[in-house]
Amino acid sequence: MRWEGNRESSNVEDRRGEGGGGGGGGMIGGRSIGIGTVVIALIGWGVFGINPLTTIGMLSGGGQPQVQQQQGPAKAPPADDSQAKFVSTVLASTEDVWTKIFQQGGAQYREPKLVLFRGAVPTACGTGQSAMGPFYCPGDQKVYLDMGFFDTMSRQLGAPGDFARAYVVAHEVGHHVQTLLGTTEKVDSMRGRVSQRDQNALSVRLELQADCYAGVWANHSQQAKNWLDQSDIESAINAAQSIGDDKLQREQTGTVRPDGFTHGSSAQRVRWFSTGLKTGSVQSCDTFNTQSL
């Protein structure tokens, strides 16, 4: 991925040197949407004997956003931090792509902030933990990222490569797009009104749509920058496949329970990312009005 020399976003907050905490553990008030939620849930089951449905419910619980702990002004990442520069460059590209798409639809795109942290971080959704993986909080419209997750992708999930990492950022920005379009609110309004199984099914559709939106971004960014080659595309598809619910469940428990899926199977995640990548169309990402995921 030829990302060096491109514009960097000014919407990156570096809070890696600050102490995390405030408000207890996990995402309890408000709702966090993250690419790694199911990862911590399955680890909890495999290591601590915790039912993953309980963990997911705690991490994704409904309700009003919590009041965020007061923090000082955020710093920009150091100029010599190559990983932060990479994240800032990818975020800038998502800003360019989604601003144009929203303008074409007669709307205005509000750029999200991306917060770099280590360990734990206070958010409007509660306290975020590194073990959750990257996540998005609708309450403050921020993406949260501990870049140690990139090492986890390479070493534990078998998903190395710059564009695999870019896909992760684009997926979380996809959740921001869902918030702006009102999709997240509609799904949250069903919480407590449907069964746990149906709630999980809605979560799957929400996550697969974010995968598709990541593909839409990849399509438009490639047209604008021509910064990808086939190996980059393959690395992103590999990342989507590596974090499918079925793969993670099988690795952690030895069995697969589709009714416990919250993010979608490997095949589904690859399909919807590829759909967005191929079409570049937001309309092609309607995961809520299709019977076949």
Side-chain angles (χ1 to χ4, degrees):
M1 182 176 180
R2 298 175 290 276
W3 61 270
E4 294 90 343
N6 286 280
R7 182 179 77 85
E8 297 178 36
S9 174
S10 60
N11 287 314
V12 178
E13 300 180 0
D14 190 353
R15 298 194 179 276
R16 289 173 292 178
E18 302 176 11
M27 292 284 177
I28 301 175
R31 186 178 192 277
S32 69
I33 308 172
I35 204 165
T37 303
V38 74
V39 177
I40 188 174
L42 289 169
I43 291 173
W45 197 8
V47 178
F48 303 113
I50 301 171
N51 187 322
L53 298 181
T54 301
T55 310
I56 290 168
M58 182 173 66
L59 295 178
S60 306
Q64 296 299 314
Q66 294 182 352
V67 176
Q68 189 170 7
Q69 178 177 307
Q70 291 297 316
Q71 295 174 291
K75 299 179 298 182
D80 60 352
D81 186 330
S82 62
Q83 275 202 331
K85 287 174 71 69
F86 169 75
V87 170
S88 299
T89 301
V90 172
L91 184 63
S93 176
T94 67
E95 293 166 352
D96 295 341
V97 167
W98 287 111
T99 293
K100 182 177 180 180
I101 291 175
F102 270 60
Q103 285 176 345
Q104 290 171 344
Q108 183 176 2
Y109 179 66
R110 294 197 304 273
E111 298 173 352
K113 300 287 186 181
L114 189 152
V115 181
L116 302 177
F117 75 101
R118 288 194 184 101
V121 63
T123 83
C125 298
T127 299
Q129 306 284 347
S130 295
M132 294 172 61
F135 61 91
Y136 170 76
C137 174
D140 53 27
Q141 297 190 5
K142 293 183 178 182
V143 173
Y144 290 86
L145 172 65
D146 184 329
M147 289 191 292
F149 183 73
F150 291 158
D151 291 333
T152 300
M153 288 179 62
S154 296
R155 298 174 183 175
Q156 297 182 31
L157 301 179
D162 283 342
F163 196 58
R165 299 175 179 187
Y167 152 72
V168 169
V169 175
H171 172 95
E172 300 306 332
V173 171
H175 285 309
H176 177 64
V177 172
Q178 291 171 323
T179 295
L180 298 182
L181 295 178
T183 310
T184 305
E185 184 178 2
K186 289 179 181 178
V187 171
D188 269 351
S189 71
M190 300 300 293
R191 190 171 301 280
R193 298 164 53 190
V194 298
S195 67
Q196 183 69 61
R197 181 172 181 170
D198 289 342
Q199 184 174 303
N200 288 349
L202 285 171
S203 176
V204 166
R205 291 178 184 270
L206 196 71
E207 294 295 335
L208 293 178
Q209 187 176 68
D211 281 334
C212 189
Y213 286 166
V216 169
W217 160 76
N219 175 293
H220 287 264
S221 71
Q222 175 67 352
Q223 290 186 43
K225 301 180 183 296
N226 192 32
W227 59 354
L228 307 174
D229 56 30
Q230 187 57 38
S231 64
D232 294 315
I233 302 300
E234 290 170 357
S235 74
I237 290 175
N238 179 52
Q241 193 168 33
S242 297
I243 53 179
D245 285 337
D246 53 341
K247 183 176 186 295
L248 293 170
Q249 284 185 355
R250 188 177 294 107
E251 289 178 352
Q252 292 294 329
T253 69
T255 60
V256 175
R257 294 180 55 247
D259 62 341
F261 288 1
T262 59
H263 286 58
S265 69
S266 293
Q268 289 170 336
R269 302 200 72 163
V270 169
R271 175 193 171 188
W272 285 99
F273 171 76
S274 299
T275 295
L277 175 64
K278 180 179 179 180
T279 66
S281 168
V282 172
Q283 288 72 28
S284 71
C285 297
D286 188 0
T287 57
F288 291 91
N289 288 304
T290 180
Q291 291 188 348
S292 176
L293 291 175

